[in-house]
Amino acid sequence: MSSRVPPIILNNGVEMPQLGLGVLQVPDDEAEQAVATALEAGYRSIDTAAIHGNEEGTGRAIAASGVAREDIFVTAKLRNSEQGYDSTLRAFDVSLEKLGLDHVDLYLIHWPLPDRGTYVDTYKAFEKLHADGRVRAIGVANFLPEHLERLIAETSVVPAVNQIELHPHLQQQASRDFHAERGIATAAISPLGQGKGLLEVPAIVAIARKHGRTPAQIVLRWHLQLGNAVIPESVTPSRIKEDIEVFDFTLDDEDLAAFSALNEDLRIGPDPATFDLV
């Protein structure tokens, strides 16, 4: 692992860097360049998803990086349309081939799709992939506590990670508490609020000025001090490099209190209780 980014120890003992790069739904060539930039800048966690359509570019960048495979933590996600036991196993083979890898470090169910009722069977396929050594850790994304409760009750491997929308306007205390009680790591996606005004919030701008940092760096530092893993998404080289420069300063209690006051339970992305897009 990179010495610049501290690890989170998952519930099965696997180490996951606390900060990683997410590649948005961008073309392969853009993803390839973004991942190459990130690895050169010191990132050692790369997060992709089948729905993004850029697994091949991500894999090419990893192969060409010169960084040892065991030093890169690769997260992949199952496409919603492939949920189900057999279809999950087939989809994983496709993703692995596109990535050009013999295993991934973390495999996630992308959304619970509760109205379809397939996530338990899907997760049982994940358990097989884990038992076969093709995935080092398994988990979920966008799951609510009610979905996790059912999953834990009906399967045998507690998810290692739940990736959820989490930012200062949606601080997800109930989910974070639930995860902590059950040994599930919380990973923040959309950590900077998807560029929809969060970084212009006066309190955040003031804290950034106080520390001589950018608002994005301040928000990422807040995530890290909460104990979240955090997955900022960017294809802009300057932003990718900026986002990892967050390990040489600390927010104080006054800063953290100002962040706590920003919560509005404001969700930008879809509601996992009802989202059903495959």
PDB file of all heavy atoms in Angstrom, residues 31-46 56-74 99 101:
ATOM      1  N   ALA A  31     -10.782   7.443 -18.701  1.00  0.00           N
ATOM      2  CA  ALA A  31     -10.573   6.692 -17.471  1.00  0.00           C
ATOM      3  C   ALA A  31      -9.137   6.197 -17.392  1.00  0.00           C
ATOM      4  O   ALA A  31      -8.506   6.240 -16.321  1.00  0.00           O
ATOM      5  CB  ALA A  31     -11.540   5.515 -17.399  1.00  0.00           C
ATOM      6  N   GLU A  32      -8.619   5.733 -18.505  1.00  0.00           N
ATOM      7  CA  GLU A  32      -7.238   5.238 -18.526  1.00  0.00           C
ATOM      8  C   GLU A  32      -6.266   6.332 -18.098  1.00  0.00           C
ATOM      9  O   GLU A  32      -5.376   6.109 -17.264  1.00  0.00           O
ATOM     10  CB  GLU A  32      -6.890   4.738 -19.929  1.00  0.00           C
ATOM     11  CG  GLU A  32      -5.497   4.149 -20.040  1.00  0.00           C
ATOM     12  CD  GLU A  32      -5.223   3.560 -21.415  1.00  0.00           C
ATOM     13  OE1 GLU A  32      -6.115   3.587 -22.283  1.00  0.00           O
ATOM     14  OE2 GLU A  32      -4.091   3.067 -21.609  1.00  0.00           O
ATOM     15  N   GLN A  33      -6.462   7.529 -18.620  1.00  0.00           N
ATOM     16  CA  GLN A  33      -5.573   8.629 -18.272  1.00  0.00           C
ATOM     17  C   GLN A  33      -5.736   9.041 -16.813  1.00  0.00           C
ATOM     18  O   GLN A  33      -4.765   9.334 -16.115  1.00  0.00           O
ATOM     19  CB  GLN A  33      -5.813   9.824 -19.193  1.00  0.00           C
ATOM     20  CG  GLN A  33      -4.844  10.982 -18.967  1.00  0.00           C
ATOM     21  CD  GLN A  33      -3.395  10.549 -19.105  1.00  0.00           C
ATOM     22  OE1 GLN A  33      -2.997   9.971 -20.103  1.00  0.00           O
ATOM     23  NE2 GLN A  33      -2.590  10.806 -18.065  1.00  0.00           N
ATOM     24  N   ALA A  34      -6.980   9.063 -16.338  1.00  0.00           N
ATOM     25  CA  ALA A  34      -7.231   9.450 -14.948  1.00  0.00           C
ATOM     26  C   ALA A  34      -6.588   8.467 -13.982  1.00  0.00           C
ATOM     27  O   ALA A  34      -5.965   8.856 -12.983  1.00  0.00           O
ATOM     28  CB  ALA A  34      -8.733   9.543 -14.694  1.00  0.00           C
ATOM     29  N   VAL A  35      -6.745   7.175 -14.264  1.00  0.00           N
ATOM     30  CA  VAL A  35      -6.163   6.159 -13.390  1.00  0.00           C
ATOM     31  C   VAL A  35      -4.641   6.228 -13.429  1.00  0.00           C
ATOM     32  O   VAL A  35      -3.971   6.113 -12.386  1.00  0.00           O
ATOM     33  CB  VAL A  35      -6.677   4.756 -13.771  1.00  0.00           C
ATOM     34  CG1 VAL A  35      -5.934   3.672 -13.009  1.00  0.00           C
ATOM     35  CG2 VAL A  35      -8.179   4.661 -13.503  1.00  0.00           C
ATOM     36  N   ALA A  36      -4.079   6.442 -14.606  1.00  0.00           N
ATOM     37  CA  ALA A  36      -2.627   6.577 -14.718  1.00  0.00           C
ATOM     38  C   ALA A  36      -2.126   7.766 -13.898  1.00  0.00           C
ATOM     39  O   ALA A  36      -1.127   7.668 -13.170  1.00  0.00           O
ATOM     40  CB  ALA A  36      -2.229   6.726 -16.182  1.00  0.00           C
ATOM     41  N   THR A  37      -2.818   8.884 -13.996  1.00  0.00           N
ATOM     42  CA  THR A  37      -2.458  10.072 -13.219  1.00  0.00           C
ATOM     43  C   THR A  37      -2.534   9.785 -11.723  1.00  0.00           C
ATOM     44  O   THR A  37      -1.652  10.173 -10.947  1.00  0.00           O
ATOM     45  CB  THR A  37      -3.391  11.245 -13.575  1.00  0.00           C
ATOM     46  OG1 THR A  37      -3.245  11.553 -14.959  1.00  0.00           O
ATOM     47  CG2 THR A  37      -3.085  12.478 -12.744  1.00  0.00           C
ATOM     48  N   ALA A  38      -3.609   9.099 -11.317  1.00  0.00           N
ATOM     49  CA  ALA A  38      -3.801   8.814  -9.892  1.00  0.00           C
ATOM     50  C   ALA A  38      -2.701   7.911  -9.350  1.00  0.00           C
ATOM     51  O   ALA A  38      -2.149   8.165  -8.271  1.00  0.00           O
ATOM     52  CB  ALA A  38      -5.168   8.173  -9.676  1.00  0.00           C
ATOM     53  N   LEU A  39      -2.378   6.859 -10.074  1.00  0.00           N
ATOM     54  CA  LEU A  39      -1.348   5.938  -9.602  1.00  0.00           C
ATOM     55  C   LEU A  39       0.002   6.636  -9.514  1.00  0.00           C
ATOM     56  O   LEU A  39       0.774   6.408  -8.573  1.00  0.00           O
ATOM     57  CB  LEU A  39      -1.289   4.711 -10.512  1.00  0.00           C
ATOM     58  CG  LEU A  39      -2.516   3.799 -10.439  1.00  0.00           C
ATOM     59  CD1 LEU A  39      -2.451   2.722 -11.522  1.00  0.00           C
ATOM     60  CD2 LEU A  39      -2.658   3.153  -9.062  1.00  0.00           C
ATOM     61  N   GLU A  40       0.268   7.515 -10.459  1.00  0.00           N
ATOM     62  CA  GLU A  40       1.521   8.262 -10.428  1.00  0.00           C
ATOM     63  C   GLU A  40       1.554   9.219  -9.236  1.00  0.00           C
ATOM     64  O   GLU A  40       2.609   9.470  -8.640  1.00  0.00           O
ATOM     65  CB  GLU A  40       1.700   9.029 -11.741  1.00  0.00           C
ATOM     66  CG  GLU A  40       3.039   9.721 -11.871  1.00  0.00           C
ATOM     67  CD  GLU A  40       3.221  10.390 -13.233  1.00  0.00           C
ATOM     68  OE1 GLU A  40       2.465  10.073 -14.166  1.00  0.00           O
ATOM     69  OE2 GLU A  40       4.116  11.245 -13.342  1.00  0.00           O
ATOM     70  N   ALA A  41       0.384   9.750  -8.875  1.00  0.00           N
ATOM     71  CA  ALA A  41       0.302  10.709  -7.766  1.00  0.00           C
ATOM     72  C   ALA A  41       0.342  10.040  -6.396  1.00  0.00           C
ATOM     73  O   ALA A  41       0.441  10.725  -5.379  1.00  0.00           O
ATOM     74  CB  ALA A  41      -0.977  11.533  -7.891  1.00  0.00           C
ATOM     75  N   GLY A  42       0.238   8.709  -6.357  1.00  0.00           N
ATOM     76  CA  GLY A  42       0.319   8.002  -5.086  1.00  0.00           C
ATOM     77  C   GLY A  42      -0.936   7.289  -4.646  1.00  0.00           C
ATOM     78  O   GLY A  42      -0.951   6.637  -3.601  1.00  0.00           O
ATOM     79  N   TYR A  43      -2.031   7.412  -5.412  1.00  0.00           N
ATOM     80  CA  TYR A  43      -3.224   6.627  -5.096  1.00  0.00           C
ATOM     81  C   TYR A  43      -2.902   5.143  -5.254  1.00  0.00           C
ATOM     82  O   TYR A  43      -2.180   4.746  -6.172  1.00  0.00           O
ATOM     83  CB  TYR A  43      -4.368   6.962  -6.053  1.00  0.00           C
ATOM     84  CG  TYR A  43      -5.010   8.315  -5.908  1.00  0.00           C
ATOM     85  CD1 TYR A  43      -4.380   9.460  -6.377  1.00  0.00           C
ATOM     86  CD2 TYR A  43      -6.273   8.444  -5.339  1.00  0.00           C
ATOM     87  CE1 TYR A  43      -4.978  10.712  -6.278  1.00  0.00           C
ATOM     88  CE2 TYR A  43      -6.889   9.686  -5.240  1.00  0.00           C
ATOM     89  CZ  TYR A  43      -6.242  10.814  -5.707  1.00  0.00           C
ATOM     90  OH  TYR A  43      -6.845  12.044  -5.615  1.00  0.00           O
ATOM     91  N   ARG A  44      -3.506   4.341  -4.386  1.00  0.00           N
ATOM     92  CA  ARG A  44      -3.374   2.899  -4.523  1.00  0.00           C
ATOM     93  C   ARG A  44      -4.726   2.200  -4.431  1.00  0.00           C
ATOM     94  O   ARG A  44      -4.786   0.981  -4.289  1.00  0.00           O
ATOM     95  CB  ARG A  44      -2.409   2.349  -3.462  1.00  0.00           C
ATOM     96  CG  ARG A  44      -0.958   2.805  -3.669  1.00  0.00           C
ATOM     97  CD  ARG A  44      -0.381   2.255  -4.974  1.00  0.00           C
ATOM     98  NE  ARG A  44       1.001   2.678  -5.207  1.00  0.00           N
ATOM     99  CZ  ARG A  44       1.337   3.724  -5.963  1.00  0.00           C
ATOM    100  NH1 ARG A  44       0.400   4.482  -6.525  1.00  0.00           N
ATOM    101  NH2 ARG A  44       2.596   4.028  -6.153  1.00  0.00           N
ATOM    102  N   SER A  45      -5.801   2.963  -4.534  1.00  0.00           N
ATOM    103  CA  SER A  45      -7.150   2.407  -4.556  1.00  0.00           C
ATOM    104  C   SER A  45      -7.894   2.997  -5.751  1.00  0.00           C
ATOM    105  O   SER A  45      -7.996   4.217  -5.876  1.00  0.00           O
ATOM    106  CB  SER A  45      -7.893   2.745  -3.256  1.00  0.00           C
ATOM    107  OG  SER A  45      -9.248   2.331  -3.315  1.00  0.00           O
ATOM    108  N   ILE A  46      -8.377   2.113  -6.615  1.00  0.00           N
ATOM    109  CA  ILE A  46      -9.083   2.525  -7.828  1.00  0.00           C
ATOM    110  C   ILE A  46     -10.459   1.867  -7.821  1.00  0.00           C
ATOM    111  O   ILE A  46     -10.581   0.654  -7.633  1.00  0.00           O
ATOM    112  CB  ILE A  46      -8.312   2.110  -9.101  1.00  0.00           C
ATOM    113  CG1 ILE A  46      -6.889   2.683  -9.086  1.00  0.00           C
ATOM    114  CG2 ILE A  46      -9.077   2.532 -10.346  1.00  0.00           C
ATOM    115  CD1 ILE A  46      -6.804   4.193  -9.083  1.00  0.00           C
ATOM    116  N   GLU A  56     -12.004  -1.610 -19.181  1.00  0.00           N
ATOM    117  CA  GLU A  56     -10.831  -1.919 -20.001  1.00  0.00           C
ATOM    118  C   GLU A  56      -9.769  -0.828 -19.862  1.00  0.00           C
ATOM    119  O   GLU A  56      -8.583  -1.117 -19.717  1.00  0.00           O
ATOM    120  CB  GLU A  56     -11.242  -2.109 -21.458  1.00  0.00           C
ATOM    121  CG  GLU A  56     -12.031  -3.395 -21.680  1.00  0.00           C
ATOM    122  CD  GLU A  56     -12.648  -3.469 -23.064  1.00  0.00           C
ATOM    123  OE1 GLU A  56     -13.146  -2.435 -23.556  1.00  0.00           O
ATOM    124  OE2 GLU A  56     -12.628  -4.563 -23.641  1.00  0.00           O
ATOM    125  N   GLY A  57     -10.194   0.435 -19.921  1.00  0.00           N
ATOM    126  CA  GLY A  57      -9.248   1.528 -19.767  1.00  0.00           C
ATOM    127  C   GLY A  57      -8.608   1.535 -18.394  1.00  0.00           C
ATOM    128  O   GLY A  57      -7.404   1.784 -18.247  1.00  0.00           O
ATOM    129  N   THR A  58      -9.422   1.249 -17.379  1.00  0.00           N
ATOM    130  CA  THR A  58      -8.892   1.157 -16.022  1.00  0.00           C
ATOM    131  C   THR A  58      -7.834   0.069 -15.937  1.00  0.00           C
ATOM    132  O   THR A  58      -6.748   0.269 -15.370  1.00  0.00           O
ATOM    133  CB  THR A  58     -10.045   0.870 -15.033  1.00  0.00           C
ATOM    134  OG1 THR A  58     -10.977   1.954 -15.074  1.00  0.00           O
ATOM    135  CG2 THR A  58      -9.529   0.690 -13.619  1.00  0.00           C
ATOM    136  N   GLY A  59      -8.129  -1.088 -16.513  1.00  0.00           N
ATOM    137  CA  GLY A  59      -7.175  -2.195 -16.493  1.00  0.00           C
ATOM    138  C   GLY A  59      -5.898  -1.883 -17.241  1.00  0.00           C
ATOM    139  O   GLY A  59      -4.798  -2.250 -16.797  1.00  0.00           O
ATOM    140  N   ARG A  60      -6.013  -1.191 -18.368  1.00  0.00           N
ATOM    141  CA  ARG A  60      -4.813  -0.835 -19.126  1.00  0.00           C
ATOM    142  C   ARG A  60      -3.898   0.082 -18.316  1.00  0.00           C
ATOM    143  O   ARG A  60      -2.676  -0.074 -18.325  1.00  0.00           O
ATOM    144  CB  ARG A  60      -5.197  -0.153 -20.447  1.00  0.00           C
ATOM    145  CG  ARG A  60      -5.747  -1.091 -21.498  1.00  0.00           C
ATOM    146  CD  ARG A  60      -5.778  -0.438 -22.876  1.00  0.00           C
ATOM    147  NE  ARG A  60      -6.617   0.750 -22.919  1.00  0.00           N
ATOM    148  CZ  ARG A  60      -7.914   0.751 -23.223  1.00  0.00           C
ATOM    149  NH1 ARG A  60      -8.542  -0.394 -23.494  1.00  0.00           N
ATOM    150  NH2 ARG A  60      -8.601   1.893 -23.251  1.00  0.00           N
ATOM    151  N   ALA A  61      -4.496   1.036 -17.616  1.00  0.00           N
ATOM    152  CA  ALA A  61      -3.694   1.951 -16.803  1.00  0.00           C
ATOM    153  C   ALA A  61      -2.990   1.209 -15.673  1.00  0.00           C
ATOM    154  O   ALA A  61      -1.823   1.479 -15.377  1.00  0.00           O
ATOM    155  CB  ALA A  61      -4.580   3.064 -16.243  1.00  0.00           C
ATOM    156  N   ILE A  62      -3.692   0.272 -15.041  1.00  0.00           N
ATOM    157  CA  ILE A  62      -3.079  -0.512 -13.966  1.00  0.00           C
ATOM    158  C   ILE A  62      -1.905  -1.321 -14.508  1.00  0.00           C
ATOM    159  O   ILE A  62      -0.817  -1.355 -13.920  1.00  0.00           O
ATOM    160  CB  ILE A  62      -4.131  -1.425 -13.295  1.00  0.00           C
ATOM    161  CG1 ILE A  62      -5.141  -0.568 -12.517  1.00  0.00           C
ATOM    162  CG2 ILE A  62      -3.476  -2.459 -12.399  1.00  0.00           C
ATOM    163  CD1 ILE A  62      -6.361  -1.328 -12.050  1.00  0.00           C
ATOM    164  N   ALA A  63      -2.107  -1.952 -15.663  1.00  0.00           N
ATOM    165  CA  ALA A  63      -1.063  -2.794 -16.248  1.00  0.00           C
ATOM    166  C   ALA A  63       0.170  -1.986 -16.634  1.00  0.00           C
ATOM    167  O   ALA A  63       1.302  -2.469 -16.527  1.00  0.00           O
ATOM    168  CB  ALA A  63      -1.614  -3.531 -17.468  1.00  0.00           C
ATOM    169  N   ALA A  64      -0.055  -0.757 -17.092  1.00  0.00           N
ATOM    170  CA  ALA A  64       1.049   0.065 -17.595  1.00  0.00           C
ATOM    171  C   ALA A  64       1.708   0.905 -16.513  1.00  0.00           C
ATOM    172  O   ALA A  64       2.704   1.580 -16.773  1.00  0.00           O
ATOM    173  CB  ALA A  64       0.540   0.983 -18.708  1.00  0.00           C
ATOM    174  N   SER A  65       1.181   0.864 -15.282  1.00  0.00           N
ATOM    175  CA  SER A  65       1.609   1.810 -14.255  1.00  0.00           C
ATOM    176  C   SER A  65       2.992   1.517 -13.687  1.00  0.00           C
ATOM    177  O   SER A  65       3.641   2.421 -13.149  1.00  0.00           O
ATOM    178  CB  SER A  65       0.600   1.802 -13.099  1.00  0.00           C
ATOM    179  OG  SER A  65       0.652   0.559 -12.402  1.00  0.00           O
ATOM    180  N   GLY A  66       3.414   0.268 -13.767  1.00  0.00           N
ATOM    181  CA  GLY A  66       4.660  -0.101 -13.109  1.00  0.00           C
ATOM    182  C   GLY A  66       4.513  -0.345 -11.622  1.00  0.00           C
ATOM    183  O   GLY A  66       5.481  -0.701 -10.951  1.00  0.00           O
ATOM    184  N   VAL A  67       3.298  -0.166 -11.097  1.00  0.00           N
ATOM    185  CA  VAL A  67       3.033  -0.444  -9.684  1.00  0.00           C
ATOM    186  C   VAL A  67       2.654  -1.920  -9.556  1.00  0.00           C
ATOM    187  O   VAL A  67       1.858  -2.435 -10.341  1.00  0.00           O
ATOM    188  CB  VAL A  67       1.894   0.444  -9.151  1.00  0.00           C
ATOM    189  CG1 VAL A  67       1.619   0.137  -7.675  1.00  0.00           C
ATOM    190  CG2 VAL A  67       2.229   1.916  -9.338  1.00  0.00           C
ATOM    191  N   ALA A  68       3.214  -2.583  -8.574  1.00  0.00           N
ATOM    192  CA  ALA A  68       2.927  -4.002  -8.386  1.00  0.00           C
ATOM    193  C   ALA A  68       1.428  -4.213  -8.142  1.00  0.00           C
ATOM    194  O   ALA A  68       0.796  -3.449  -7.412  1.00  0.00           O
ATOM    195  CB  ALA A  68       3.723  -4.548  -7.201  1.00  0.00           C
ATOM    196  N   ARG A  69       0.884  -5.252  -8.739  1.00  0.00           N
ATOM    197  CA  ARG A  69      -0.556  -5.514  -8.609  1.00  0.00           C
ATOM    198  C   ARG A  69      -0.973  -5.626  -7.145  1.00  0.00           C
ATOM    199  O   ARG A  69      -2.041  -5.118  -6.753  1.00  0.00           O
ATOM    200  CB  ARG A  69      -0.922  -6.800  -9.364  1.00  0.00           C
ATOM    201  CG  ARG A  69      -2.353  -7.305  -9.120  1.00  0.00           C
ATOM    202  CD  ARG A  69      -3.407  -6.351  -9.648  1.00  0.00           C
ATOM    203  NE  ARG A  69      -4.755  -6.776  -9.308  1.00  0.00           N
ATOM    204  CZ  ARG A  69      -5.421  -6.382  -8.223  1.00  0.00           C
ATOM    205  NH1 ARG A  69      -4.856  -5.526  -7.387  1.00  0.00           N
ATOM    206  NH2 ARG A  69      -6.645  -6.813  -7.995  1.00  0.00           N
ATOM    207  N   GLU A  70      -0.133  -6.259  -6.316  1.00  0.00           N
ATOM    208  CA  GLU A  70      -0.527  -6.437  -4.918  1.00  0.00           C
ATOM    209  C   GLU A  70      -0.565  -5.129  -4.147  1.00  0.00           C
ATOM    210  O   GLU A  70      -1.098  -5.068  -3.037  1.00  0.00           O
ATOM    211  CB  GLU A  70       0.405  -7.432  -4.221  1.00  0.00           C
ATOM    212  CG  GLU A  70       1.861  -7.026  -4.172  1.00  0.00           C
ATOM    213  CD  GLU A  70       2.684  -7.585  -5.336  1.00  0.00           C
ATOM    214  OE1 GLU A  70       2.092  -7.902  -6.391  1.00  0.00           O
ATOM    215  OE2 GLU A  70       3.914  -7.683  -5.175  1.00  0.00           O
ATOM    216  N   ASP A  71      -0.032  -4.072  -4.733  1.00  0.00           N
ATOM    217  CA  ASP A  71      -0.053  -2.766  -4.083  1.00  0.00           C
ATOM    218  C   ASP A  71      -1.229  -1.898  -4.532  1.00  0.00           C
ATOM    219  O   ASP A  71      -1.363  -0.759  -4.073  1.00  0.00           O
ATOM    220  CB  ASP A  71       1.253  -2.016  -4.353  1.00  0.00           C
ATOM    221  CG  ASP A  71       2.440  -2.651  -3.644  1.00  0.00           C
ATOM    222  OD1 ASP A  71       2.222  -3.326  -2.616  1.00  0.00           O
ATOM    223  OD2 ASP A  71       3.575  -2.479  -4.123  1.00  0.00           O
ATOM    224  N   ILE A  72      -2.068  -2.416  -5.429  1.00  0.00           N
ATOM    225  CA  ILE A  72      -3.220  -1.647  -5.925  1.00  0.00           C
ATOM    226  C   ILE A  72      -4.500  -2.344  -5.483  1.00  0.00           C
ATOM    227  O   ILE A  72      -4.677  -3.543  -5.715  1.00  0.00           O
ATOM    228  CB  ILE A  72      -3.197  -1.515  -7.461  1.00  0.00           C
ATOM    229  CG1 ILE A  72      -1.882  -0.887  -7.928  1.00  0.00           C
ATOM    230  CG2 ILE A  72      -4.383  -0.672  -7.943  1.00  0.00           C
ATOM    231  CD1 ILE A  72      -1.739  -0.817  -9.445  1.00  0.00           C
ATOM    232  N   PHE A  73      -5.376  -1.589  -4.838  1.00  0.00           N
ATOM    233  CA  PHE A  73      -6.655  -2.113  -4.368  1.00  0.00           C
ATOM    234  C   PHE A  73      -7.715  -1.756  -5.406  1.00  0.00           C
ATOM    235  O   PHE A  73      -8.039  -0.578  -5.600  1.00  0.00           O
ATOM    236  CB  PHE A  73      -6.993  -1.488  -3.014  1.00  0.00           C
ATOM    237  CG  PHE A  73      -8.151  -2.134  -2.300  1.00  0.00           C
ATOM    238  CD1 PHE A  73      -7.931  -3.112  -1.353  1.00  0.00           C
ATOM    239  CD2 PHE A  73      -9.459  -1.751  -2.572  1.00  0.00           C
ATOM    240  CE1 PHE A  73      -8.988  -3.712  -0.673  1.00  0.00           C
ATOM    241  CE2 PHE A  73     -10.516  -2.341  -1.908  1.00  0.00           C
ATOM    242  CZ  PHE A  73     -10.278  -3.327  -0.955  1.00  0.00           C
ATOM    243  N   VAL A  74      -8.253  -2.758  -6.081  1.00  0.00           N
ATOM    244  CA  VAL A  74      -9.200  -2.544  -7.175  1.00  0.00           C
ATOM    245  C   VAL A  74     -10.603  -2.931  -6.724  1.00  0.00           C
ATOM    246  O   VAL A  74     -10.836  -4.075  -6.292  1.00  0.00           O
ATOM    247  CB  VAL A  74      -8.813  -3.354  -8.427  1.00  0.00           C
ATOM    248  CG1 VAL A  74      -9.826  -3.131  -9.553  1.00  0.00           C
ATOM    249  CG2 VAL A  74      -7.403  -2.979  -8.891  1.00  0.00           C
ATOM    250  N   LEU A  99     -10.939  -5.999 -17.182  1.00  0.00           N
ATOM    251  CA  LEU A  99      -9.918  -5.376 -16.347  1.00  0.00           C
ATOM    252  C   LEU A  99      -8.527  -5.969 -16.584  1.00  0.00           C
ATOM    253  O   LEU A  99      -7.516  -5.351 -16.250  1.00  0.00           O
ATOM    254  CB  LEU A  99     -10.280  -5.529 -14.863  1.00  0.00           C
ATOM    255  CG  LEU A  99     -11.417  -4.648 -14.347  1.00  0.00           C
ATOM    256  CD1 LEU A  99     -11.969  -5.182 -13.022  1.00  0.00           C
ATOM    257  CD2 LEU A  99     -10.954  -3.203 -14.186  1.00  0.00           C
ATOM    258  N   LEU A 101      -7.391  -8.683 -15.109  1.00  0.00           N
ATOM    259  CA  LEU A 101      -6.881  -9.091 -13.799  1.00  0.00           C
ATOM    260  C   LEU A 101      -7.292 -10.534 -13.498  1.00  0.00           C
ATOM    261  O   LEU A 101      -8.217 -11.071 -14.112  1.00  0.00           O
ATOM    262  CB  LEU A 101      -7.445  -8.174 -12.708  1.00  0.00           C
ATOM    263  CG  LEU A 101      -7.162  -6.675 -12.863  1.00  0.00           C
ATOM    264  CD1 LEU A 101      -7.887  -5.900 -11.767  1.00  0.00           C
ATOM    265  CD2 LEU A 101      -5.668  -6.389 -12.838  1.00  0.00           C
TER     266      LEU A 101
END
